[in-house]
Amino acid sequence: MSSVKRRRGATGELPRLRVRSAGPADLAEVIAIDARATGLAKPEYWAGILRRYGRRGARRRFLVAEAGARIVGYIVGEVRDWEFGSPACGWVFGIGVRPDTREAGVGAALLKAITAAFRRLGVATVRTLIARDNQLVLSFFRSQGMMAAPVIPLEKDVG
């Protein structure tokens, strides 16, 4: 899909970065990246994501960033139509980057690749939801030009 050489910050350079569709062999590394960020390994969840979002040609995308022989990040999203009254737009609902490769352009390359895929499907807008206290991810998306959307998420505890 995409091949970009990125700096790794003060510690040197990453090998050539390649963004491509995720496959079964990538799951263990994706699960490890997610578990490091969330504190919870979710192998069944990620197997389901691969089944639903790993198919080419669909309006869903599950991409990984590969540097050398290892997976250094992932992104998951899909195009949705007319939710909340808006025309088709891309939704990013999962992104993760290995901590030792942050600030090396991995997240930016992943977002660029999924955005390009959405654009090819006729989408002009990309959205995501972020926990308000997740400053790391919020800062990343803002650095990529994303800003507050014209929708407000609401919730109600039903437990």
Side-chain angles (χ1 to χ4, degrees):
M1 290 192 88
S2 172
S3 184
V4 182
K5 191 168 186 179
R6 299 287 182 184
R7 289 186 184 274
R8 186 174 176 212
T11 60
E13 289 192 0
L14 285 174
R16 185 166 290 285
L17 185 66
R18 187 176 92 129
V19 176
R20 61 172 175 76
S21 294
D26 305 319
L27 278 185
E29 289 185 85
V30 168
I31 292 164
I33 293 167
D34 176 59
R36 180 124 189 226
T38 65
L40 181 63
K42 304 180 283 284
E44 297 84 14
Y45 170 80
W46 285 107
I49 292 294
L50 182 63
R51 276 192 306 277
R52 290 187 307 275
Y53 292 83
R55 294 183 221 151
R56 289 182 168 237
R59 293 164 44 111
R60 299 172 175 173
R61 295 288 185 274
F62 181 6
L63 306 175
V64 292
E66 184 177 52
R70 74 180 195 158
I71 301 304
V72 294
Y74 65 86
I75 193 166
V76 185
E78 68 183 320
V79 173
R80 293 185 178 179
D81 294 305
W82 303 113
E83 290 187 352
F84 313 109
S86 73
C89 69
W91 280 90
V92 171
F93 65 84
I95 188 168
V97 174
R98 283 187 184 279
D100 63 334
T101 62
R102 288 187 185 141
E103 298 185 22
V106 175
L110 286 162
L111 186 60
K112 182 178 180 181
I114 203 166
T115 299
F118 291 158
R119 191 177 302 114
R120 287 189 299 275
L121 293 167
V123 166
T125 305
V126 176
R127 293 188 173 133
T128 192
L129 294 172
I130 302 166
R132 75 177 66 161
D133 63 347
N134 192 337
Q135 292 301 312
L136 179 67
V137 176
L138 180 59
S139 294
F140 165 72
F141 280 116
R142 285 191 173 163
S143 78
Q144 300 302 303
M146 294 186 80
M147 60 186 121
V151 293
I152 298 172
L154 301 173
E155 68 178 33
K156 176 182 178 180
D157 185 5
V158 295

